[in-house]
Every structure is written in structure tokens, then in C-alpha cells.
Amino acid sequence: SLQDQFDNLEKHTQWGIDVLEKYIKFVKERTEIELSYAKQLRNLSKKYQPKKNSKEEEEYRYTSTRAFLATLNEMNDYAGQHEVISENMTSLITGELTRYVQELKQERKSHFHDGRKAQQHIETCWKQLEASKRRFERDCKEADRAQQYFEKMDADINVTKADVEKARQQAQLRHQMAEDSKAEYSSTLQKFNSEQHDHYYTHIPNIFQKIQEMEERRIVRIGESMKTFAEVDRQVIPIIGKCLDEITKAAESIDHKNDSQLVIEAFKSGFEPPGDIDFEDFTQPMKRTVSESSLSNSRGDGKSEPKFGGKSKGKLWPFIKKNKLMSLLTSPHQPPPPPPASASPSAVPNGPQSPKQQKEPLSHRFNEFMTSKPKIHCFRSLKRGGAGPEDFSNLPPEQRRKKLQQKVDELNKDIQKEMDQRDALTKMKDVYIKNPQMGDAASVDHRLAELGQNIEKLRMEVQKFEGWLAEVEGRLPTRTEQARRQSGLYEAQNTSAVNSCAQDRESPDGSYTEEQSQETEMKVPATDFDDEFDDEEPLPTIGTCKALYTFEGQNEGTISVAEGEMLYVIEEDKGDGWTRIRRNEDEEGYVPTSYVEVYLDKNAK
């Protein structure tokens, strides 16, 4: 039936709207994924960006790290394109389809309302026809009964003439009513047939046609949205391709030779390698031969040669590994061991060697110093951090020259800034003098005087640093000097004794520094070296401690203790789990805080 067709169309169009809403939801979730992906890419790029004023920022002078930085920047742009995809899909698909769905629902509702209205109208016409038909049928039956009654009265001789006349009039009335009902039924039937024809051949087909057009527009619209879905993605492909091309270009710009040269320039010290060490003949009872290139000085020589612990001691550091020296200066980097379950009084300490050692030849001591980890017993003048001297004398020659040149350039820039300000104020003063109404010329005199003083101070600083720079550049070896400076770098007297080893630290710019006032002591036989190091006063004790357990100091910077031993505390635990103690004047080191019981005494010496 027609009603069934309307029901089918209503269900199908509702299904079409559901499909459209499902597609809208799909696109919306895709945009959320694009935004989330873009956000994660941006966070990833930001995470690996170099932090300002940090050591990482200095690393980006290498081509490889600059290429990585370019990759991070391109990934940021890459993420931006995914944000563009999300924005375009939201505006061109999700937003448009959402509005279209609302319009489609209103149009569908209107069409089905017109269909129901047409169906109700034809049903009303049908009811009117049925009523007119029943009335015509009833009137015809009443007319027949009235006619039969009149004929019966007219045939009966006992009925008066008046009754017969009355029956005749009643029959005529009923017959007239039947004729009127017939005319009305005929008119109603004609009208119904016309309405029914219009209903089935005009109104309903028009409504179906509109529903069909609505459904076809929906299908076309979802197809166009799918094309837009692909086109939005395709539009950003060229830009994404450019991002990838830039990453490839950055990778191709990596220059390994340039990076290697930068490393050489950064860590070039300017020191010359030491000369050859002469053969020491122990088969002769005479004194062993001492050459200018050995590590000892001739006692009979009246010349004042540089000592191992003097100026030349700074030239020993290039041959020592950084991790070995750094381990001598600070507490162990690894966490302290937990205290044992039970004390072991009989444990044999495996810590640093005793300060008393047997005599060894000088060459053996030098080889041991070059190849093995130094045995440290004393932490004289150990400090955490600290700035170097103003003239960068703690740096190797080449590094010192670079630092001094950098300082001179910075001071010249500051002078130029101050001079620019002074010129500007001078011009302003001239304007005030010519136009007093614009300002008081005397108001800038004080500032001009300050700028003049600042410029003079900066110039004096420049002269000071330029003097140091000239001194360094004059001392740097040249190609003609290298041939005659191959010996005498590590000369010292035969009977000199080295009691301290230079303390090397890492300066803020990453180079190695050495301070004569901050050094650790390495015990060597007193008959081999003279003590030429300038020792500072040892750190004062701040209390005492008792060893709760035996600790075997196996790492550099630690000291062995036995259970029950009383020692001096010279530095509290800084939060790393280690306490610095002293056994006697020559033995200091770190022990785990949990291994000792500390008794602080501010008045202790």
C-alpha cells in the first residue's frame, strides 16, 4: 500500500542521515588524531631543543648538531601541516556537513509532513463519499417504503380519502429526498474521483520526487566530502615534502672535516710534547746520567731549572686522562654502599696505599704516573667549584689566548655601546641648548660624566687584557722555535721529592684547568724529588667520628677505615651519602656516611 511505501522511505532516509552523521563523527575523530599527533611532534621537537645559556647551546656549532637542530625545526613545521589538515577538515567537512544534516532533517520532515497531509486529505474525501453513499441508500429505501404504503392505502376501500392523500404526499416527499441524495452522492463521487486522481498522479509523485532528490543530494554531498577529505591531505603534501627536503639538505650539509677541526681548535693546548728520556745505566756505580730532557735537575748545576712542582707542573696535565684526575677532586660519583649486616673487624682494608713506600727509580714512577691510576692520600685545599684567575692563567696557552681574545672583543663591544649612548646624549644636549623649551641641557651632564668614566674603565680593562694577550701570543711556540724546544720541559733535581700532585679541574668552558693552590698529594720517595709545591693550610676539623663498620676504600677519593677507629671529620655529608674524614696529617678521603657515627664540634681544631 501507499502507506507502506511511505514507511519504507521514512526508514531509508533516516538511515541515510545516520550514515552522514557517522561520517561526520569519523572525520571529527581524524581531526583529533591529527591535532594530537601535531602536539606530540611539537613537544618532541621542544624536548630536544637546546636550552638557552647551557652547555648544549655551545655544542650546536658543529655541523652535525646544527643539522639535528634543523631537523627539529622542520619537524615543528611538519607538525604545523598536520594542524592545517585538522583545521581544514573541521571547517570544510565537519562544519559544513553538520549544517547540512540540520537542513536535511528539516527538509525530510517537511516532505513527510506533506505526504501525511495528502494521505489524510484523500482519506477524508473517501469518508465523505461513503457517508453520501449511505445517505443515498437510506433515502432510496425510505422512498420505496413510502410508495408501498401509499399504494396499500389507496387500494383499501375502508381508508378515508384524507388518509390516502396524506400517504401520497409522504411518498412524494421521500422520493424527492432520494433524488436529492442521489444528486449529492453523484457530486461527491465525482469530486472524490478527481481528488484521488490528483493524489495518485500528482501530489504523491511530487512528494516522492522531492524525497528522491533530497536523498540524491545527500549521496552527492557525502561523495564530495570524501573528495575534500583526500584533497585536504593532498594540499599539504608539497609543504611536507619541502620539510623533508630541508631535513635531507641539512643532513647533506654535515661536514666531518669541519667538525673535527672545531674539536682541534677547542682543545688545542699549545703545549709541546716532552723530549726523549735518556737511558739510565744502573750497572755503573757512578751516579746515573741526568739529561736536560729527564724529569730531574742536576744538583751540581748552578742554573735554576723549572721544578716538577713549579711552573712546569702545569704541562703534565695533557698526558693524564680527565676521568682519572676528576676522581681525585670530588666525592665518588657512585652511591655509597649500604652498611653490612654484621661488622667484620677482621676485614683487611683494600684502600689506598700507605704513604710510606719503597724507593723506585724515577722512570718507574713516571711510567706509573702515566699509565695507572694515581694513589691519593691527601686532599689539600679541596674545594667544590670556584672561579679561575682573572687572567685565565690556569688554562693551557692556546685556550688562554682564546679566552683573552674573547674577553677583549666583549670589552670592545661594551665600549662601543657606551660610546653610542654618549653620542646620543651629546646630540640631545645640543638640541636642548638650541631649543631650551624642549629640555634642560644640564640634566644630561651627570649621565655624560658617568658614561665617560665607564668608557675610561673599560679601556683600562681592554689594555690590561691586551697586555696579557700579547704576553700569551709572545710565548706561544712558533714553527721555527719547535726544533730548539724539545727538551727541558720536565727537569728537576735528583734528590727532589714530590709530595703533591696538581689538582686538575674542568673550567666552565669545558677545558682543563690547574690551580697551584688546589692540589692533591701523592707520596713519592723523599730521595727522588724535593717538595717544590706550595701547600695551603689543611682544612680544619669540624668534629670526630667513630667507624661503625670496616670499609675498604677501593675507589679513588675514598679511604679505608677499620671498625671502632676514631677519625677527624673535615667535611659533612653534602647530600650524596659521603663524609670526608682525616686520619692524620697526610691521609684524607671519603667514607660512606652510614659507616660512621659523627660527633660535630664547632670548637674543635
Side-chain angles (χ1 to χ4, degrees):
S1 66
L2 187 62
Q3 184 62 39
D4 293 339
Q5 297 302 325
F6 264 101
D7 292 342
N8 292 335
L9 288 177
E10 192 169 11
K11 291 178 182 177
H12 180 75
T13 52
Q14 181 60 45
W15 171 83
I17 292 175
D18 293 341
V19 169
L20 201 56
E21 289 179 338
K22 184 187 294 184
Y23 184 73
I24 293 172
K25 186 178 180 182
F26 160 74
V27 176
K28 185 176 181 181
E29 291 183 1
R30 164 74 190 275
T31 59
E32 291 173 354
I33 290 173
E34 292 290 344
L35 279 179
S36 176
Y37 181 52
K39 182 179 180 181
Q40 291 178 19
L41 284 180
R42 288 190 183 278
N43 290 339
L44 180 66
S45 177
K46 182 179 179 181
K47 177 181 178 182
Y48 287 94
Q49 287 284 348
K51 298 177 178 59
K52 293 183 178 179
N53 301 325
S54 68
K55 187 177 179 181
E56 290 183 9
E57 202 170 28
E58 298 178 1
E59 297 172 355
Y60 281 85
R61 65 180 183 270
Y62 301 106
T63 57
S64 57
T65 47
R66 284 204 303 268
F68 177 56
L69 181 60
T71 301
L72 295 179
N73 295 332
E74 293 301 329
M75 288 303 296
N76 208 38
D77 297 340
Y78 186 91
Q81 296 310 307
H82 285 277
E83 290 175 347
V84 170
I85 291 176
S86 176
E87 292 172 1
N88 290 342
M89 285 187 176
T90 300
S91 60
L92 299 178
I93 300 179
T94 307
E96 293 293 331
L97 285 186
T98 301
R99 287 191 292 271
Y100 177 70
V101 165
Q102 297 300 323
E103 296 172 359
L104 188 63
K105 288 181 178 180
Q106 292 296 329
E107 183 180 0
R108 174 179 175 274
K109 182 179 179 181
S110 174
H111 292 332
F112 282 101
H113 176 73
D114 293 342
R116 282 192 294 270
K117 187 176 180 181
Q119 193 70 18
Q120 291 173 359
H121 177 70
I122 198 67
E123 289 176 358
T124 301
C125 291
W126 171 257
K127 289 178 181 179
Q128 290 177 356
L129 178 62
E130 287 293 320
S132 177
K133 179 181 177 181
R134 286 193 298 270
R135 189 164 51 252
F136 172 56
E137 183 182 6
R138 186 179 66 250
D139 289 345
C140 286
K141 289 180 180 179
E142 291 292 333
D144 288 342
R145 283 196 297 269
Q147 184 64 29
Q148 291 175 3
Y149 181 74
F150 166 69
E151 291 175 356
K152 182 181 179 181
M153 292 294 288
D154 187 42
D156 192 353
I157 58 174
N158 296 322
V159 178
T160 60
K161 188 176 180 179
D163 292 337
V164 172
E165 184 64 23
K166 184 178 178 181
R168 186 182 64 79
Q169 291 178 357
Q170 186 66 25
Q172 289 178 351
L173 180 62
R174 291 294 181 183
H175 183 70
Q176 184 62 40
M177 290 177 64
E179 289 295 329
D180 293 340
S181 297
K182 180 181 179 181
E184 183 184 358
Y185 172 64
S186 176
S187 174
T188 303
L189 180 61
Q190 186 178 0
K191 181 180 178 182
F192 174 77
N193 288 334
S194 176
E195 291 289 344
Q196 183 176 251
H197 183 275
D198 292 341
H199 178 76
Y200 285 101
Y201 289 94
T202 304
H203 299 313
I204 294 301
N206 288 339
I207 293 173
F208 283 174
Q209 182 66 29
K210 291 178 180 179
I211 293 175
Q212 180 181 350
E213 292 173 357
M214 176 192 72
E215 183 67 10
E216 289 175 353
R217 286 198 307 273
R218 178 193 67 81
I219 296 171
V220 170
R221 192 63 177 268
I222 196 171
E224 292 175 350
S225 298
M226 290 180 180
K227 288 181 181 179
T228 305
F229 182 85
E231 191 61 29
V232 166
D233 229 332
R234 187 178 290 109
Q235 287 175 355
V236 301
I237 288 178
I239 303 178
I240 290 178
K242 289 182 180 179
C243 293
L244 298 178
D245 291 342
E246 289 297 324
I247 293 175
T248 304
K249 183 179 178 182
E252 293 173 350
S253 69
I254 296 177
D255 186 356
H256 57 283
K257 295 292 184 182
N258 180 72
D259 288 0
S260 298
Q261 190 61 34
L262 287 176
V263 175
I264 294 171
E265 292 295 330
F267 298 107
K268 183 168 62 175
S269 66
F271 286 124
E272 293 182 10
D276 295 337
I277 298 176
D278 289 345
F279 175 75
E280 301 179 37
D281 190 357
F282 293 99
T283 60
Q284 300 295 333
M286 64 184 66
K287 294 182 180 179
R288 57 183 176 174
T289 304
V290 179
S291 66
E292 292 181 356
S293 60
S294 66
L295 290 178
S296 60
N297 285 333
S298 173
R299 288 187 178 273
D301 194 1
K303 297 180 182 179
S304 177
E305 300 292 342
K307 307 296 183 181
F308 179 76
K311 293 182 180 179
S312 63
K313 77 169 185 177
K315 298 187 179 181
L316 187 59
W317 72 268
F319 310 103
I320 305 174
K321 292 186 178 179
K322 171 185 173 183
N323 57 352
K324 291 183 179 179
L325 288 178
M326 289 304 296
S327 64
L328 313 182
L329 308 179
T330 57
S331 62
H333 294 291
Q334 60 186 15
S342 61
S344 178
S346 61
V348 180
N350 190 19
Q353 296 181 1
S354 170
K356 304 294 183 179
Q357 297 182 3
Q358 297 179 0
K359 295 184 179 180
E360 294 182 72
L362 175 60
S363 59
H364 292 184
R365 295 301 302 164
F366 182 75
N367 291 334
E368 181 182 357
F369 189 77
M370 294 286 288
T371 59
S372 63
K373 296 183 179 179
K375 306 294 190 295
I376 300 303
H377 299 272
C378 178
F379 291 80
R380 297 274 176 104
S381 308
L382 184 64
K383 298 179 182 178
R384 298 180 184 238
E390 184 182 13
D391 61 351
F392 304 109
S393 58
N394 56 333
L395 298 178
E398 182 65 22
Q399 301 298 326
R400 184 187 180 195
R401 184 190 66 78
K402 290 181 180 179
K403 281 290 183 181
L404 290 172
Q405 185 63 53
Q406 181 181 356
K407 188 68 176 179
V408 169
D409 294 341
E410 291 175 357
L411 289 172
N412 285 329
K413 288 181 181 179
D414 293 340
I415 290 174
Q416 188 60 43
K417 289 180 182 179
E418 296 289 330
M419 292 177 67
D420 292 342
Q421 292 185 24
R422 185 181 65 180
D423 294 343
L425 285 176
T426 303
K427 292 179 181 178
M428 183 184 297
K429 182 178 179 180
D430 294 340
V431 172
Y432 287 168
I433 292 174
K434 294 178 181 178
N435 302 290
Q437 67 275 11
M438 296 183 65
D440 184 10
S443 62
V444 298
D445 289 340
H446 179 67
R447 179 58 182 161
L448 283 173
E450 287 183 356
L451 290 173
Q453 293 176 2
N454 293 341
I455 292 172
E456 188 62 29
K457 291 179 181 178
L458 289 172
R459 283 175 176 168
M460 293 176 65
E461 287 289 316
V462 169
Q463 292 178 2
K464 179 173 64 176
F465 280 95
E466 284 180 344
W468 288 331
L469 181 60
E471 177 186 356
V472 172
E473 291 178 343
R475 289 183 180 180
L476 282 178
T478 61
R479 293 181 181 177
T480 58
E481 296 174 345
Q482 290 180 0
R484 59 184 176 83
R485 296 185 61 188
Q486 294 183 354
S487 63
L489 295 177
Y490 297 95
E491 297 181 357
Q493 295 181 2
N494 286 341
T495 58
S496 62
V498 177
N499 292 331
S500 301
C501 64
Q503 171 182 340
D504 290 23
R505 297 186 306 165
E506 191 171 6
S507 64
D509 64 341
S511 62
Y512 299 99
T513 66
E514 183 177 353
E515 296 182 16
Q516 295 183 6
S517 60
Q518 298 181 5
E519 52 195 18
T520 55
E521 189 170 346
M522 184 177 67
K523 286 294 180 176
V524 183
T527 58
D528 290 344
F529 294 96
D530 287 335
D531 189 357
E532 298 291 344
F533 284 76
D534 296 331
D535 293 334
E536 293 183 357
E537 289 296 325
L539 293 177
T541 60
I542 59 174
T544 59
C545 67
K546 179 181 180 182
L548 302 178
Y549 313 100
T550 297
F551 173 67
E552 300 177 358
Q554 297 179 348
N555 298 324
E556 285 79 12
T558 61
I559 186 172
S560 301
V561 296
E563 181 182 358
E565 185 178 1
M566 295 298 296
L567 305 107
Y568 294 104
V569 178
I570 58 176
E571 187 177 311
E572 291 186 79
D573 188 350
K574 300 296 184 180
D576 53 5
W578 296 89
T579 299
R580 188 174 168 198
I581 64 171
R582 176 188 297 146
R583 176 176 284 113
N584 51 46
E585 186 176 349
D586 295 330
E587 291 189 73
E588 297 177 2
Y590 287 90
V591 296
T593 305
S594 58
Y595 276 60
V596 295
E597 184 175 359
V598 178
Y599 310 97
L600 295 179
D601 184 6
K602 296 182 179 179
N603 298 324
K605 296 183 180 179

